[in-house]
Amino acid sequence: KAGVTQTPRYLIKTRGQQVTLSCSPISGHRSVSWYQQTPGQGLQFLFEYFSETQRNKGNFPGRFSGRQFSNSRSEMNVSTLELGDSALYLCASSFLWQNEQFFGPGTRLTVL
Amino acid sequence: DAKTTQPPSMDCAEGRAANLPCNHSTISGNEYVYWYRQIHSQGPQYIIHGLKNNETNEMASLIITEDRKSSTLILPHATLRDTAVYYCIAAIWGAQKLVFGQGTRLTINP
């Protein structure tokens, strides 16, 4: 069974631009969560989607948004990029009410 | 979600058992203890979880104290590939929002 895939793996943007990251969950998984990982703040929860609905949201500004499609694939968008948005963005998928979350390899975003 | 406390780093010799402690003194009755690990530059990997009974799987064992205020993850025969940051998380069943702390950086030495 294929794992969680994230594209692109690496991305370089400049301040003020926007970026869209993509996540394809494991087949059959309907819950997709996003996390941001930085050296200073560690792993932080961004948001979670299930059946195209955002069910949980972390403490991030409105510049961070996401969506989920009917095939459970998810995208997250960051607008008006700031230097501090440089991070590894991780996506995780799971069955609903399953304890185990499966993480993808992440997208490393660098903002210059 | 209950806060967890872990030592920032630990060392263990290859082939020996690695015992990683975690304190979760404010854990509530419906919160499970989850362990994940993150090998450098990869996404976190689920290891094991438990509520109040000790648990074992092919990767590790989880020992939870009777009062549930602390737990220990045991890697019975550590290998160099077990070098990673290990995260202990307290969360309700099926929680899709995981609150990661700083974890324990475990280094397995040859």
Side-chain angles (χ1 to χ4, degrees):
Chain A
K1 183 189 267 191
V4 176
T5 58
Q6 294 186 243
T7 56
R9 293 292 311 279
Y10 302 91
L11 204 50
I12 299 175
K13 292 285 189 179
T14 57
R15 280 179 297 174
Q17 288 186 310
Q18 74 167 19
V19 66
T20 299
L21 311 181
S22 180
C23 172
S24 292
I26 291 173
S27 177
H29 287 189
R30 295 170 62 191
S31 173
V32 174
S33 300
W34 288 89
Y35 294 82
Q36 180 197 64
Q37 185 171 28
T38 61
Q41 299 298 318
L43 270 159
Q44 293 184 285
F45 174 80
L46 279 158
F47 29 64
E48 183 248 344
Y49 287 86
F50 178 78
S51 290
E52 303 176 65
T53 300
Q54 185 181 92
R55 298 194 309 156
N56 289 290
K57 189 176 190 304
N59 188 26
F60 278 82
R63 299 185 298 107
F64 292 81
S65 63
R67 60 177 176 169
Q68 186 180 35
F69 302 95
S70 58
N71 62 359
S72 295
R73 191 177 68 85
S74 177
E75 290 181 347
M76 67 162 284
N77 183 79
V78 187
S79 62
T80 319
L81 285 166
E82 301 176 359
L83 295 179
D85 297 332
S86 294
L88 180 66
Y89 289 88
L90 292 156
C91 164
S93 75
S94 68
F95 286 112
L96 185 62
W97 303 123
Q98 183 187 47
N99 285 289
E100 182 177 352
Q101 287 196 25
F102 294 82
F103 284 80
T107 294
R108 184 161 298 281
L109 171 66
T110 301
V111 182
L112 302 177
Chain B
D1 298 327
K3 179 179 168 58
T4 62
T5 304
Q6 300 175 251
S9 64
M10 292 182 64
D11 286 274
C12 180
E14 188 178 20
R16 304 296 296 269
N19 297 279
L20 291 90
C22 179
N23 286 320
H24 32 79
S25 58
T26 61
I27 195 168
S28 60
N30 64 345
E31 286 183 311
Y32 286 69
V33 178
Y34 295 80
W35 283 84
Y36 281 76
R37 72 180 182 182
Q38 186 174 26
I39 296 170
H40 183 61
S41 297
Q42 298 182 20
Q45 176 190 25
Y46 166 85
I47 301 172
I48 199 168
H49 74 276
L51 183 63
K52 52 185 176 182
N53 297 320
N54 298 337
E55 303 288 343
T56 296
N57 63 19
E58 65 278 4
M59 287 182 68
S61 294
L62 174 60
I63 308 297
I64 303 174
T65 58
E66 193 167 341
D67 63 8
R68 301 209 328 120
K69 292 185 177 182
S70 66
S71 61
T72 301
L73 178 75
I74 301 172
L75 307 178
H77 304 288
T79 71
L80 297 179
R81 289 177 295 179
D82 292 321
T83 292
V85 178
Y86 287 77
Y87 296 98
C88 168
I89 300 166
I92 63 172
W93 173 273
Q96 304 305 311
K97 172 185 177 180
L98 298 178
V99 179
F100 288 83
Q102 295 304 308
T104 295
R105 183 172 299 277
L106 175 67
T107 302
I108 306 300
N109 300 305

